[in-house]
């Protein structure tokens, strides 16, 4: 088990215990205030009654779901007193309201004031017990972080004075230690020896170093390297699957809204984190899974009809599979209903056009109504994709785009989607230039990601499908 999961489970465990204690405490107060001793005879009988035990199980399960949706467990390293207070207060408020509506409101009480008193006791006790438990775990983990064994291991990629400054900040911060430091050539030095193979070799060396030292993060601090060079390097580092952070003086991130982690006055930009909040990300994940599962079930008759039409019209398989690049630059297999004749790409990768002769007649119908994309609900269900997100591209085209549009690597901070702002506003691209233009919409989506924007994109996608405006 990784250290991340050990720390995550520490919070999950204390929250489970706190929830049981909080609801049990509330039931003891409820027993006294509502004079249940007249019915049950003793507190022990009341607490051991099947209805009480079932409500305890249901409320604790509900509470753990609320905690997970709040995003509290996503990053156990970034806890503070303020975050413990705010997340504990918001979670306890939601739980108290739900318990009041489905449990307390059924109680027979003498007045409305009694209901409010019960709610107040529930809310206050739940918040205090939950918060105290979390603070204890946070303080315990903070003490662990200060020990040499548990300090976060950092690989520092740097050059010049800024590298020395960031190294001092990291070491002085107390919870981190530099396990490897690699120099990075400046643009002036690269003019004489820079090749694509050099950057590839350097990235592979950096990946091996980070993996052999079990690094928790990579920090890049440089002032002489261009945005293009560092962007290309970042693109090759996604394979590590760990946070990659930059000193803001390293890159001119003008106009980019990226997450910042303060470190002794030196904010580090986390380029592997999206702008979506932790709670919104969890809600999006849950909605994706539930919606895709429901969609696969409800649309199964349509799937069978489409499969029959495809098999009747042309030779070849029902489904078309292709490797695309997804979250953190990882390749995955995307599924689509086959809309082209067999062996449509014998001469190599080709982009589709409006009058593409490779597309079958039924394939044109499917593309107009986006029916060929429906099998990607399976990609959403297994976690390769999301309902809404930047459209995934093939590595063949990404290699051609990344030199002119280095910010492309940032789009891989989120799961690709079945539909996107770009697909609604632009549609399919038939040339590399159109792909660059369409990417501007994906960039707008990334910069403004929110659940509200996802709903808007889905609404316009439904309009596009209903009107047959796809191409």
């Amino acid at each position: 088990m990784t250290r991340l999961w050990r720390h995550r489970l520490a919070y999950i465990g204390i929250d489970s215990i706190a929830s049981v204690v909080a609801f049990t405490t509330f039931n003891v107060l409820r027993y006294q205030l509502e004079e249940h001793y007249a019915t049950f005879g003793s507190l022990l009988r009341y607490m051991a009654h099947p209805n009480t035990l079932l409500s305890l199980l249901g409320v604790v399960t509900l509470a753990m779901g609320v905690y997970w949706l709040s995003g509290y467990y996503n990053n156990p390293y970034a806890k503070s007193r303020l975050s413990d207070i705010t997340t504990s207060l918001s979670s306890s408020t939601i739980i108290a309201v739900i318990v009041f509506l489905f449990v307390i409101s059924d109680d027979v009480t003498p007045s409305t004031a009694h209901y409010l008193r019960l709610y107040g006791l529930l809310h206050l006790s739940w918040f205090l017990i939950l918060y105290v438990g979390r603070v204890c775990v946070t303080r315990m983990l903070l003490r662990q972080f200060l020990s040499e064994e548990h300090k976060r291991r950092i690989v520092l990629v740097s050059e010049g004075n800024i590298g020395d400054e960031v190294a001092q900040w990291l070491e002085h911060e107390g919870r981190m230690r530099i396990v490897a430091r690699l120099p990075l050539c400046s643009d002036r030095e690269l003019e004489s020896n820079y090749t694509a193979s050099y950057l590839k070799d350097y990235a592979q060396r950096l990946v091996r170093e980070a993996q052999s030292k079990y690094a928790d993060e990579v920090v890049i601090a440089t002032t002489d390297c261009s945005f293009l060079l560092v962007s290309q390097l970042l693109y090759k580092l996604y394979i590590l699957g760990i946070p990659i952070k930059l000193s803001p003086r390293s890159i001119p991130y003008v106009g980019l809204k990226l997450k910042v982690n303060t470190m002794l006055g030196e904010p580090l930009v986390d380029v592997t984190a999206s702008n979506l909040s932790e709670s919104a990300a969890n809600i999006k994940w849950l909605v994706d899974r539930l919606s895709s599962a429901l969609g696969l079930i409800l649309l199964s008759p349509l799937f069978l009809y489409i499969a029959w039409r495809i098999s009747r019209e042309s030779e070849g398989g029902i489904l078309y599979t292709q490797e695309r690049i997804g979250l953190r630059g990882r390749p995955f297999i995307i599924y689509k209903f086959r809309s082209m004749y067999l062996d449509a790409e014998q001469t190599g990768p080709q982009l589709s056009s409006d009058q593409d002769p490779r597309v079958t007649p039924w394939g044109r119908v499917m593309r107009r109504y986006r029916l060929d994309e429906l099998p990607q609900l399976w990609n959403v269900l297994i976690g390769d994709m999301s309902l809404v997100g930047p459209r995934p591209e093939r590595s063949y085209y990404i290699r051609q785009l990344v030199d002119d549009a280095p910010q492309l690597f940032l789009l891989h901070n989120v799961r690709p989607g079945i539909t996107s702002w770009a697909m609604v506003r632009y549609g399919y691209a038939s040339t590399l230039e159109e792909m660059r233009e369409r990417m501007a919409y994906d960039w707008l989506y990334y910069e403004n990601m929110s659940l509200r924007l996802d709903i808007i994109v889905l609404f316009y996608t439904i309009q596009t499908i209903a009107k047959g405006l796809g191409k």
Side-chain angles (χ1 to χ4, degrees):
M1 184 184 295
T2 63
R3 184 169 60 175
L4 173 67
W5 266 104
R6 287 199 302 271
H7 292 169
R8 187 174 285 160
L9 288 174
Y11 281 108
I12 293 174
I14 197 65
D15 282 358
S16 302
I17 296 171
S19 300
V20 172
V21 172
F23 196 63
T24 301
T25 302
F26 168 71
N27 274 327
V28 171
L29 297 173
R30 188 180 175 197
Y31 174 82
Q32 297 294 334
L33 289 173
E34 296 185 355
E35 300 179 353
H36 284 301
Y37 46 79
T39 304
F40 295 93
S42 69
L43 177 62
L44 181 60
R45 287 184 178 179
Y46 173 70
M47 299 301 292
H49 193 272
N51 289 342
T52 306
L53 294 176
L54 283 174
S55 63
L56 173 64
L57 178 62
V59 169
V60 172
T61 302
L62 165 72
M64 298 308 297
V66 171
Y67 302 151
W68 177 77
L69 284 176
S70 72
Y72 189 76
Y73 305 131
N74 289 18
N75 188 359
Y77 299 126
K79 303 302 181 190
S80 65
R81 290 186 179 89
L82 181 60
S83 67
D84 281 338
I85 290 175
T86 55
T87 54
S88 299
L89 183 60
S90 59
S91 295
S92 61
T93 301
I94 294 172
I95 294 165
V97 170
I98 295 175
V99 172
F100 177 80
L101 293 175
F102 291 96
V103 179
I104 300 176
S105 61
D106 289 336
D107 292 355
V108 178
T109 58
S111 64
T112 303
H114 190 81
Y115 279 122
L116 297 178
R117 192 179 301 114
L118 284 174
Y119 172 81
L121 289 171
L122 172 65
H123 194 175
L124 180 61
S125 61
W126 202 291
F127 166 70
L128 290 176
I129 294 171
L130 180 65
Y131 174 66
V132 169
R134 287 178 170 182
V135 167
C136 291
V137 173
T138 299
R139 291 177 66 86
M140 179 191 70
L141 294 182
L142 285 175
R143 284 196 298 270
Q144 286 187 8
F145 288 145
L146 295 177
S147 66
E148 196 66 22
E149 179 186 357
H150 290 89
K151 286 184 178 179
R152 287 181 66 73
R153 296 176 288 270
I154 306 297
V155 170
L156 178 61
V157 180
S158 64
E159 52 80 22
N161 293 332
I162 186 175
D164 296 332
E165 292 177 15
V166 172
Q168 291 176 4
W169 283 320
L170 290 171
E171 295 285 7
H172 187 265
E173 203 272 342
R175 289 181 286 174
M176 303 192 179
R177 62 189 173 99
I178 299 173
V179 295
R181 182 172 177 179
L182 283 74
L184 183 63
C185 293
S186 67
D187 283 351
R188 291 189 297 273
E189 293 171 313
L190 285 172
E191 287 177 0
S192 58
N193 65 1
Y194 171 70
T195 61
S197 61
Y198 169 84
L199 186 61
K200 181 180 178 181
D201 292 342
Y202 182 88
Q204 289 176 344
R205 176 190 167 198
L206 179 54
V207 168
R208 286 195 301 269
E209 193 75 15
Q211 290 175 335
S212 64
K213 298 295 177 58
Y214 300 100
D216 296 306
E217 293 181 11
V218 173
V219 174
I220 299 177
T222 174
T223 53
D224 287 344
C225 291
S226 66
F227 184 22
L228 174 60
L229 171 63
V230 177
S231 299
Q232 290 174 330
L233 177 61
L234 289 170
Y235 202 82
K236 298 178 185 299
L237 296 181
Y238 271 140
I239 191 174
L240 287 170
I242 59 177
I244 303 172
K245 298 179 180 179
L246 302 177
S247 168
R249 290 179 287 172
S250 301
I251 305 296
Y253 275 106
V254 179
L256 305 190
K257 296 184 292 185
L258 299 175
K259 286 192 175 180
V260 174
N261 300 91
T262 301
M263 191 175 295
L264 279 176
E266 175 67 7
L268 294 180
V269 179
D270 189 348
V271 295
T272 56
S274 71
N275 294 308
L276 204 62
S277 69
E278 301 290 1
S279 59
N282 285 1
I283 293 171
K284 182 180 173 72
W285 181 92
L286 182 62
V287 170
D288 282 341
R289 296 307 187 281
L290 295 177
S291 300
S292 58
L294 185 63
L296 287 169
I297 294 171
L298 295 180
L299 296 176
S300 55
L302 178 60
F303 278 45
L304 292 174
Y305 174 74
I306 293 173
W308 173 73
R309 287 293 302 267
I310 293 172
S311 62
R312 192 185 71 167
E313 186 171 84
S314 62
E315 295 182 354
I318 303 300
L319 293 177
Y320 173 70
T321 61
Q322 193 177 75
E323 185 179 90
R324 298 288 179 95
I325 304 302
L327 180 67
R328 300 286 184 265
R330 290 191 294 267
F332 71 98
I333 300 299
I334 195 173
Y335 297 93
K336 302 177 74 171
F337 281 124
R338 182 174 59 83
S339 60
M340 294 186 177
Y341 293 105
L342 199 62
D343 299 326
E345 289 191 331
Q346 282 184 320
T347 59
Q350 300 177 50
L351 293 171
S352 179
S353 58
D354 289 341
Q355 302 300 323
D356 197 328
R358 299 173 300 160
V359 180
T360 66
W362 173 241
R364 295 189 190 282
V365 175
M366 287 195 296
R367 285 173 169 243
R368 280 183 59 195
Y369 294 96
R370 301 281 168 84
L371 299 177
D372 57 322
E373 310 284 358
L374 287 178
Q376 289 161 44
L377 288 171
W378 175 253
N379 288 115
V380 176
L381 185 64
I382 63 177
D384 291 333
M385 297 177 66
S386 177
L387 290 178
V388 180
R391 282 296 294 170
E393 300 293 350
R394 286 187 272 184
S395 58
Y396 175 84
Y397 294 112
I398 289 175
R399 288 194 295 269
Q400 299 179 61
L401 290 169
V402 73
D403 286 342
D404 296 332
Q407 69 272 25
L408 175 64
F409 78 91
L410 289 171
L411 298 181
H412 291 161
N413 287 342
V414 295
R415 283 185 177 83
I418 294 180
T419 186
S420 66
W421 197 344
M423 290 298 289
V424 170
R425 302 299 299 173
Y426 199 92
Y428 293 106
S430 55
T431 65
L432 279 174
E433 185 56 38
E434 288 184 357
M435 290 182 75
R436 292 188 184 95
E437 293 175 4
R438 190 180 68 177
M439 194 167 60
Y441 290 100
D442 282 330
W443 182 250
L444 282 173
Y445 171 80
Y446 178 79
E447 284 283 87
N448 298 276
M449 279 184 68
S450 67
L451 296 177
R452 176 179 175 273
L453 182 57
D454 279 8
I455 294 172
I456 293 173
V457 171
L458 286 172
F459 174 77
Y460 282 105
T461 299
I462 293 171
Q463 274 195 343
T464 300
I465 293 172
K467 295 178 180 179
L469 298 178
K471 64 174 184 176

